[in-house]
Amino acid sequence: MFRESKKIGRNAPCPCGSGLKYKKCCLGKEGAGNRVKELYYKKYGIRLKNKADVEAIKRCGRLALETLDLVEKAIRPGIATEELNTLVHEYTVRRGARPAPLNYKGFPKSVCISVNEVICHGIPGPRVLKEGDIVNVDVTPVLDGYYADVSKTFFVGTPAPEAKKVVEVAKECLRRGINQVAPGNTVGDIGWAIQKYAESRGCSVVREFVGHGVGFKFHEPPQIPHFGKRGQGVVLVPGMVFTVEPMINLGGKELRILNDRWTAVTADGSLSAQFEQTILVTEDGCESLTPYPI
Ligand code: MF3
Ligand code: CO
Ligand code: CO
């Protein structure tokens, strides 16, 4: 998705903080001048992506979205989350890709499936979906060495008003977060917009898990918190690719990790919802590499 134009003037100060004019610094051909590329790697460990990288991440993103569509069609009361894992695994492999979650830091399955009070990192298993559940499916294929990370929260059957609310708020948080992504804005602007909206709706923002750079690896710098202050943190520059993936709780923000060492649940047992996309910073705003309507 493209943001309304927020183009930096050629003669304006470069957002990378070099003190040079933008045209003399980062206004480069491939979306990232050499100077900013070096600076961002040295200073933050951020590896900017070039055109070919972006095209490859996009191809991976398309596969991720098709995988999510497949899962959505299979979701119904009575299906075990293990069966959805099998669908994701087989489809990913059939398309010549690999599911990044499998064996990642010991994660035992090919997709994260998080039901109701599970915030994220739910491990597929015998849990059976039932009418009224909400279920987040978080898919990350690796295609030709490139990663794209995307998730949606689905309804199982007809949602109760509370379920509908937390899912709507989480989706709107993603929309407002992405809307802040433009060169010259900061990482803090994204979190600020998300936190402000979530809390205005009486919901809370999870602190322990954040968005992240993505593309060459599953998780790269920078971290993208879904809370924070305007103007703080790294200045966004063209060529950055990262996820925005707010986890929004209906109750308190506190969480607990189950004995499986992965599953994060709300401490108060309240519902939690999440939407995630992989976003590229462009010259005049941003573009989702895993686009779906929000
Ligand atoms: N896809 C998750 C994210 O959005 C990460 C899952 S790590 C795993 O960052 F090991 F649980 F797969
Ligand atoms: Co992610
Ligand atoms: Co993810």
Side-chain angles (χ1 to χ4, degrees), residues 149-163:
D149 194 2
V150 64
S151 88
K152 287 183 189 174
T153 299
F154 300 110
F155 297 121
V156 183
T158 312
E162 290 212 318

Side-chain angles (χ1 to χ4, degrees), residues 138-140 149-151 212 218 245 276:
D138 190 340
V139 170
T140 315
D149 194 2
V150 64
S151 88
H212 50 90
F218 201 164
E245 50 177 304
E276 172 175 27

